[in-house]
Amino acid sequence: MSTSEPPAWPHCAHGADPAADPVGCRGIHVPGHTACLAHLADPDRDAYLAALTPGASIDHRGTAFTEALLIALLNALRDSATGHPRLGAAEFGSATFEGTAEFGSATFEGTAEFDSATFKGDAWFGWAAFKGIAWFGWATFESPAAFRSATFKGEAGFESATFKDNARFQSATFEGIAGFESATFEGDAGFESATFEGDAGFESATFEIIAGFGSATFKDNAWFRSATFKGRADFMSATFESPAAFRSATFKGDAGFDSATFKDNARFDSATFESAAVFVSATFKGDAVFVSATFKGVAWFESATFKGDAGFDSATFVEADQFGPLVCAGRLVLSGAMFGSPVTLSFAVRRLECRRTRWSSTAEVRLRYATVDFAHAVFEYPLTIAAELDPFVLDDGRPLAEDLFPSAYDPGVRVASLRGVDAAHLVLADLDLWECLFTGTVHLDQLRLEGACTFNTAPPAVHWRHWLPVRFTERRVLAEEHHWRASQPGAAQGWVLGTGRAGPLQLAPVYRALRKAFEDGKHEPGAADFYYGEMEMRRHADDIPRSERGLLTAYWALSGYGLRASRALAWLGTAMLLTIVLLMAFGLAQDTPKQTATGTVPAGGGKVTFEIDKDDPQNPTGNRFTGKRFEKALNVTFNSVVFRASGQDLTTAGTYIEMTSRFTEPVLLGLAVLAIRNRVKR
């Protein structure tokens, strides 16, 4: 199809006002004559028309047609079998139609050229059949133009055409390329139920009032790039079987894509929706791209279905109060997007990416099935991320269909990253934080955790390290600790290697902040787990002196930082047993020394003075491990645990053993009591 201006042709010299048009009449000469059809003498015109037969090719470029002249021409080409005009190649370029141009039900068997034609009255092409190229480039329709149920078997070119009144293409069929690039529709543009079997090109087209494409079918590419819709754009129930491109389009009125079906990729990148953007129950089977789109009004995607990825990267939502509920089987990308008003986002989605997303007001993100990445997201007001336990309920009371997620899928919500987030206003509810990366999160101590938020755990099984059994007590563990431990030489099985590369130095403050968040939430057992993690990271960090690391190691070994009662009790039992053994072996005297009294009676009588003495305890000899000695040693040991003196006769070694026991064993008992207290208090 040619898109250049039509070539010049011989002009008719009759019927022109030289002052108005120095060229004269622009009509091309009738073959064998020196005048156009409009200025041909009546006998010659009658003879020309009488010689025409249905299917004949005609060339009347530049001719000015009155309604009567056009009727006469079409009557001459009317097929008696069908009662409708039948034309071969028909050239009407730059022609002017003064009255109604009635081409209804006409058949154009060859090329139909109407480029730069002007239709001053109604243009009726309803049920017309264009079997060749139909070219209306730069044509002007000053009154309604009707192509209802017309069939274009070849290319249909309306590039830069101007429709000053309503344009009706309802139920029209375009079997070839339909080119409406830069066309201007000043009245309603009706393409309802039209079928575009070839490319549909509406790039840079302008729709002043209503653009009606309801129930239209686009079997090939649909190009609406940079198109401007000043009134309502109605694509309700339209079907796009191939890629649909609305890149940089501007919708100044409501954009209605209710129940539309996009079977291939749909591109709305950099599009601007100045009023409501309605995609209720729309279906996107390919990827949907809304990158850098601007939604100045409401964005209704209720019950929309995305079978591929949905990209809203860097999109702007100025006044949207809700987004969803919708279903997305792929990735829903909101990275770099901005929300300017209070909004509720409701998604059943496989993965939600909100990196560097900005919320300028309160927001609530309710999710199902999702893995969420919130790295470096920015929110200035309270924001809640919550897992929805039951399917979303639509405005009409129906549950949102989740056919894209089989019943085997876990509807729970997993958080992948909160790195770079200021958590001062963040609330997490009922989320799986097993793989969440926290390093770099600001104000993590102010994070609020509601409901059943779960963290990763240490591997509970017993592992062997250097011929020694190692067992990690189950506790809440950050995913980044998993990654760090798994990356260490000789790592025990069960630790999971991941992308996080944070070490103890970075993880200690994260554990400390989470501990405070749990304490502020009156969840002491959870806080205890994060205190344990903090101490573990401090113990393994390389920024503390060796002496301090030794103290932490002893604290860990004796009682698990005051959190492992079983460990403290085990050491207490070991210490008591050792004390008993040492007392039986070295501490208890051989026999209980007897007291003796000695005195001297002064000569001649008088007061007698007695000195009562006791023999020093003798070190045991012979059989030291008897039942009687065990009972004495047990008595000494139990009294030592509660800071009481046993009253037993001890050897010098036994005295020191008892002193050591009275210091260490109460400490171990206290650590055990502390550990129990940390686990049961609320």
Side-chain angles (χ1 to χ4, degrees):
M1 179 187 299
S2 173
T3 58
S4 60
E5 293 288 351
W9 54 76
H11 297 293
C12 173
H14 299 82
D17 180 0
D21 187 357
V23 176
C25 175
R26 297 177 178 272
I28 196 167
H29 297 170
V30 173
H33 300 276
T34 58
C36 70
L37 184 62
H39 296 108
L40 202 61
D42 291 344
D44 293 335
R45 182 187 305 117
D46 293 341
Y48 168 72
L49 294 176
L52 293 177
T53 58
S57 296
I58 57 175
D59 184 357
H60 295 292
R61 289 171 288 172
T63 302
F65 283 92
T66 63
E67 186 173 340
L69 180 58
L70 180 60
I71 291 174
L73 175 62
L74 295 178
N75 283 338
L77 297 169
R78 195 173 301 275
D79 190 335
S80 59
T82 63
H84 304 303
R86 181 162 59 88
L87 299 80
E91 298 192 35
F92 291 93
S94 299
T96 300
F97 300 89
E98 296 289 342
T100 298
E102 178 60 73
F103 287 90
S105 301
T107 298
F108 297 85
E109 296 182 345
T111 300
E113 293 275 359
F114 288 86
D115 51 289
S116 301
T118 300
F119 297 84
K120 295 186 176 181
D122 295 348
W124 298 104
F125 288 85
W127 292 274
F130 298 87
K131 295 185 177 181
I133 295 174
W135 175 233
F136 289 83
W138 296 282
T140 301
F141 299 86
E142 297 184 359
S143 295
F147 289 83
R148 184 180 287 112
S149 299
T151 301
F152 299 85
K153 292 186 175 292
E155 297 181 13
F158 289 83
E159 289 88 342
S160 299
T162 300
F163 298 86
K164 295 188 176 182
D165 208 314
N166 297 336
R168 302 299 185 191
F169 288 84
Q170 289 94 337
S171 301
T173 300
F174 299 86
E175 297 184 7
I177 295 174
F180 288 84
E181 294 86 349
S182 300
T184 300
F185 299 86
E186 297 183 7
D188 293 346
F191 288 86
E192 292 86 353
S193 300
T195 300
F196 299 86
E197 297 184 3
D199 286 355
F202 288 86
E203 292 98 332
S204 301
T206 300
F207 300 86
E208 297 282 348
I209 305 180
I210 295 178
F213 289 86
S215 300
T217 300
F218 299 85
K219 294 187 177 181
D220 212 324
N221 298 320
W223 306 110
F224 287 86
R225 290 175 295 198
S226 300
T228 300
F229 300 86
K230 295 184 179 180
R232 175 175 171 79
D234 183 7
F235 288 84
M236 183 175 180
S237 299
T239 300
F240 300 85
E241 297 185 1
S242 294
F246 289 83
R247 183 180 302 160
S248 300
T250 300
F251 299 87
K252 295 187 177 182
D254 292 349
F257 289 85
D258 323 43
S259 302
T261 300
F262 298 86
K263 295 185 178 181
D264 208 312
N265 297 338
R267 301 194 65 95
F268 288 84
D269 31 331
S270 300
T272 300
F273 300 87
E274 297 187 3
S275 189
V278 184
F279 289 84
V280 175
S281 298
T283 299
F284 299 85
K285 295 185 178 180
D287 292 342
V289 182
F290 289 83
V291 176
S292 298
T294 300
F295 299 86
K296 295 184 178 181
V298 297
W300 285 338
F301 284 82
E302 184 184 44
S303 194
T305 300
F306 297 85
K307 294 187 177 181
D309 294 341
F312 289 84
D313 318 50
S314 302
T316 300
F317 298 84
V318 179
E319 295 183 357
D321 60 348
Q322 63 178 358
F323 189 14
L326 57 81
V327 179
C328 180
R331 295 184 308 143
L332 177 56
V333 183
L334 289 171
S335 298
M338 189 198 74
F339 293 87
S341 62
V343 62
T344 298
L345 297 87
S346 305
F347 308 136
V349 59
R350 183 178 62 85
R351 183 175 179 84
L352 175 63
E353 296 180 3
C354 294
R355 293 189 292 269
R356 302 177 306 281
T357 306
R358 177 181 292 273
W359 282 270
S360 298
S361 188
T362 56
E364 184 176 17
V365 184
R366 307 200 67 83
L367 303 168
R368 285 173 60 79
Y369 301 100
T371 296
V372 188
D373 185 352
F374 259 73
H376 304 286
V378 178
F379 28 90
E380 304 169 15
Y381 295 89
L383 183 143
T384 300
I385 308 173
E388 191 75 11
L389 302 180
D390 299 314
F392 296 107
V393 178
L394 305 177
D395 290 343
D396 59 7
R398 294 180 298 111
L400 177 67
E402 298 179 345
D403 297 340
L404 297 181
F405 296 96
S407 58
Y409 275 47
D410 178 11
V413 179
R414 296 152 293 281
V415 180
S417 177
L418 289 174
R419 286 184 169 179
V421 168
D422 186 341
H425 301 291
L426 182 60
V427 179
L428 305 180
D430 299 312
L431 301 181
D432 181 346
L433 302 173
W434 275 56
E435 296 298 328
C436 185
L437 304 180
F438 285 96
T439 307
T441 305
V442 182
H443 294 144
L444 192 56
D445 58 321
Q446 300 179 41
L447 174 69
R448 285 183 55 192
L449 299 172
E450 304 286 348
C453 289
T454 59
F455 287 82
N456 211 329
T457 58
V462 176
H463 309 281
W464 291 89
R465 180 185 297 170
H466 305 301
W467 304 100
L468 293 175
V470 176
R471 182 181 183 275
F472 296 97
T473 305
E474 187 173 349
R475 62 180 172 91
R476 293 174 179 84
V477 174
L478 296 183
E480 288 144 309
E481 182 179 346
H482 262 273
H483 303 164
W484 170 73
R485 288 188 182 273
S487 66
Q488 300 304 299
Q493 294 181 356
W495 297 105
V496 181
L497 186 64
T499 58
R501 288 294 179 266
L505 197 59
Q506 294 79 29
L507 289 177
V510 176
Y511 273 115
R512 187 179 306 117
L514 285 173
R515 171 177 61 83
K516 184 177 183 302
F518 269 73
E519 288 174 346
D520 292 343
K522 307 302 180 184
H523 190 345
E524 293 296 339
D529 281 348
F530 288 114
Y531 172 72
Y532 192 102
E534 176 191 354
M535 299 299 286
E536 276 287 88
M537 295 302 101
R538 286 183 58 197
R539 183 167 69 91
H540 289 285
D542 55 5
D543 66 331
I544 61 175
R546 186 184 300 274
S547 58
E548 183 178 342
R549 186 179 296 116
L551 287 174
L552 290 176
T553 301
Y555 192 22
W556 162 76
L558 291 175
S559 65
Y561 310 112
L563 296 173
R564 300 293 181 259
S566 59
R567 192 178 303 180
L569 291 173
W571 279 112
L572 176 60
T574 301
M576 292 175 66
L577 179 61
L578 180 62
T579 300
I580 291 173
V581 172
L582 291 176
L583 286 173
M584 293 176 66
F586 308 105
L588 297 176
Q590 175 68 28
D591 295 304
T592 301
K594 295 181 173 56
Q595 291 181 333
T596 57
T598 59
T600 304
V601 178
K607 185 176 181 180
V608 178
T609 301
F610 291 94
E611 291 183 3
I612 301 175
D613 199 2
K614 188 176 183 180
D615 294 338
D616 293 333
Q618 301 298 313
N619 289 323
T621 58
N623 187 5
R624 306 180 184 187
F625 298 97
T626 63
K628 185 176 181 180
R629 291 177 63 81
F630 173 78
E631 183 179 354
K632 290 183 178 181
L634 183 62
N635 181 269
V636 173
T637 303
F638 274 123
N639 279 282
S640 297
V641 172
V642 293
F643 285 105
R644 290 181 57 191
S646 63
Q648 297 286 341
D649 294 310
L650 302 175
T651 64
T652 302
T655 302
Y656 284 106
I657 292 171
E658 183 185 35
M659 291 170 59
T660 303
S661 174
R662 291 179 64 184
F663 171 75
T664 58
E665 290 169 8
V667 171
L668 293 173
L669 178 61
L671 290 174
V673 173
L674 176 64
I676 294 173
R677 173 59 177 159
N678 285 332
R679 285 300 177 184
V680 300
K681 77 174 181 177
R682 290 289 184 268

